Amino acid sequence: MRTERATVCIPQGIHAAIAHRLHREAGRFQSSLFLKHGARTASLGSIIAILALGVERGAEIEILADGSDESAALVAIVGLLDELAT
C-alpha cells in the first residue's frame, strides 16, 4: 500500500461533481483507492462515501492505493486534484 498527502485547493471543496470525477478516475485502475480525511476513510469506488467525508477547501487529505498499479493510480488521482484546483 502506498499513500500520498495532498491539500485540497478546489474552491468549493469536494462536492458531487468532483466526487464523480474522482470515482471515474479511480475506476481506470486495478488498485483499491481511498481518501482519508481526519479519522474517516472513504473508498473512491463510492461517490456517497467520498461526499460523506465533507472535505472542504484547504483540508489535508491522504490518498491511499493498494494493488498492482498503485503508483500510477496515486499519480493520476493527485494529478486530477491538481487539475481541478485551477
Side-chain angles (χ1 to χ4, degrees):
M1 179 176 286
R2 297 200 49 211
T3 64
E4 187 77 33
R5 291 180 185 264
T7 300
V8 175
C9 296
I10 301 163
Q12 298 84 18
I14 297 181
H15 52 79
I18 302 298
H20 180 262
R21 295 273 309 267
L22 289 167
H23 169 75
R24 190 173 63 204
E25 185 70 16
R28 297 181 40 231
F29 299 94
Q30 294 296 316
S31 295
S32 298
L33 289 156
F34 304 90
L35 282 186
K36 184 174 182 182
H37 177 55
R40 301 177 69 197
T41 303
S43 168
L44 288 183
S46 170
I47 294 170
I48 299 299
I50 297 166
L51 291 172
L53 292 175
V55 179
E56 297 179 353
R57 182 178 189 201
E60 294 290 326
I61 60 171
E62 281 186 80
I63 303 105
L64 299 88
D66 187 28
S68 61
D69 55 359
E70 60 192 25
S71 294
L74 280 177
V75 168
I77 296 298
V78 170
L80 179 60
L81 287 169
D82 288 344
E83 175 188 325
L84 294 170
T86 58

